[in-house]
């Protein structure tokens, strides 16, 4: 039996493909990979927020390319996404320092708020990705022509284990985007409730099951 036949595609959702091994990460105490985060970012953008023009959810693979590319090349990645039309831009930031291989050990959420001229960093293990977030945020804002900006790490629910950072990113992204749509800003967004994080894996599995039936 080939590797692909033993790891079939379970869900094709627009540009996202989820294989059995990806979905199995949601069933246990596993660190989420790019594929799961990419899928949910795409789901939020297309379904939950119905392509709200003020929001942009950048795929983790693109975020990694931006992070490791020279500032002069950021336009290659952000211009095709029509980022200049968006007010709030969401990035899943990974501490992996290589382009050739996937990996890393921690995810956090970085949101660029163009109206507030601010970078907001939501890290469920405070301090772990701070330096990378500051450097990444500065690079993106330079692309938008913002030379003077603020960097803030709001009060953020902290993970109680070593594997739920990706789940926190998904929950924070949805929570912050909801707040931004209602208030046209991110400042003042309240922290997640623990029960939202605890139920997210089960809710994700139910969502994927419903989409495969549809």
């Amino acid at each position: 039996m080939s590797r692909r036949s033993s790891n079939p595609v379970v869900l094709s959702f627009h540009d996202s493909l989820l294989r059995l091994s990806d979905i199995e990460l949601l069933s246990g105490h596993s660190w989420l990979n790019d594929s799961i985060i990419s899928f949910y970012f795409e789901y939020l953008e297309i379904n939950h927020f119905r392509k709200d023009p003020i929001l942009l959810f950048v795929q983790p693979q693109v975020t990694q390319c931006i992070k490791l590319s020279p500032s002069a090349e950021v336009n290659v990645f952000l211009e095709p996404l029509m980022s200049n039309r968006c007010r709030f831009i969401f990035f899943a930031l990974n501490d992996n320092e290589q382009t050739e291989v996937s990996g890393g050990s921690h995810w956090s959420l970085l949101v660029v708020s163009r109206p507030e001229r601010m970078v907001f960093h939501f890290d469920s293990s405070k301090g772990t990705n701070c330096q990378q977030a500051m450097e990444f945020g500065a690079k993106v804002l330079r692309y938008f022509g913002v030379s003077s900006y603020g960097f803030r790490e709001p009060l953020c629910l902290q993970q109680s284990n070593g594997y739920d950072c990706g789940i926190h990113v998904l929950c924070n992204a949805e929570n912050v985007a909801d707040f931004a749509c209602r208030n046209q800003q991110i400042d003042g967004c309240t922290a997640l409730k623990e029960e939202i994080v605890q139920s997210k894996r089960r809710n994700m599995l139910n969502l994927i099951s419903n989409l495969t039936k549809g």
Side-chain angles (χ1 to χ4, degrees):
M1 181 180 294
S2 70
R3 182 175 179 180
R4 285 189 177 273
S5 61
S6 63
N7 188 26
V9 172
V10 176
L11 176 65
S12 176
F13 181 82
H14 297 272
D15 292 332
S16 296
L17 282 179
L18 290 182
R19 294 188 174 274
L20 180 61
S21 61
D22 300 319
I23 295 170
E24 286 175 342
L25 296 176
L26 293 166
S27 299
H29 299 163
S30 299
W31 192 81
L32 299 191
N33 63 8
D34 291 14
S35 297
I36 289 288
I37 293 176
S38 292
F39 155 71
Y40 199 63
F41 269 25
E42 193 165 20
Y43 172 79
L44 288 177
E45 185 168 279
I46 294 172
N47 283 39
H48 189 83
F49 295 103
R50 300 189 183 281
K51 296 188 176 181
D52 191 313
I54 73 169
L55 303 175
L56 174 63
F57 295 86
V58 179
Q59 300 297 297
Q61 300 89 334
V62 176
T63 297
Q64 187 70 3
C65 289
I66 293 171
K67 187 178 79 170
L68 299 179
S69 296
S71 295
E73 296 178 9
V74 171
N75 65 305
V76 173
F77 305 103
L78 289 181
E79 280 184 10
L81 302 178
M82 296 182 288
S83 57
N84 276 302
R85 301 183 183 181
C86 304
R87 298 179 186 177
F88 305 100
I89 306 168
F90 292 72
F91 301 91
L93 192 63
N94 190 291
D95 62 354
N96 182 18
E97 293 291 349
Q98 302 180 64
T99 54
E100 296 81 7
V101 296
S102 60
S105 60
H106 187 61
W107 292 105
S108 59
L109 177 71
L110 184 143
V111 188
V112 170
S113 174
R114 297 181 66 200
E116 297 166 283
R117 300 170 69 90
M118 184 79 68
V119 173
F120 292 88
H121 184 225
F122 299 84
D123 193 341
S124 59
S125 179
K126 188 173 177 62
T128 304
N129 278 0
C130 182
Q131 186 61 39
Q132 293 197 40
M134 293 177 68
E135 295 171 359
F136 183 88
K139 180 184 290 188
V140 171
L141 283 172
R142 279 197 298 272
Y143 165 74
F144 288 117
V146 178
S147 57
S148 177
Y149 68 96
F151 179 87
R152 186 174 299 172
E153 292 193 297
L155 183 66
C156 182
L157 180 68
Q158 298 294 285
Q159 63 192 82
S160 57
N161 54 55
Y163 50 80
D164 265 344
C165 54
I167 292 293
H168 279 257
V169 165
L170 302 186
C171 294
N172 276 316
E174 186 169 348
N175 181 53
V176 173
D178 275 327
F179 185 89
C181 287
R182 293 195 311 271
N183 299 280
Q184 301 301 305
Q185 65 180 41
I186 294 175
D187 188 28
C189 182
T190 56
L192 291 173
K193 302 294 186 182
E194 180 68 39
E195 55 266 26
I196 293 176
V197 173
Q198 290 179 352
S199 62
K200 194 62 175 179
R201 289 179 184 267
R202 180 177 67 254
N203 292 342
M204 288 280 291
L205 288 169
N206 289 337
L207 170 63
I208 292 167
S209 177
N210 290 336
L211 289 173
T212 56
K213 294 173 184 176

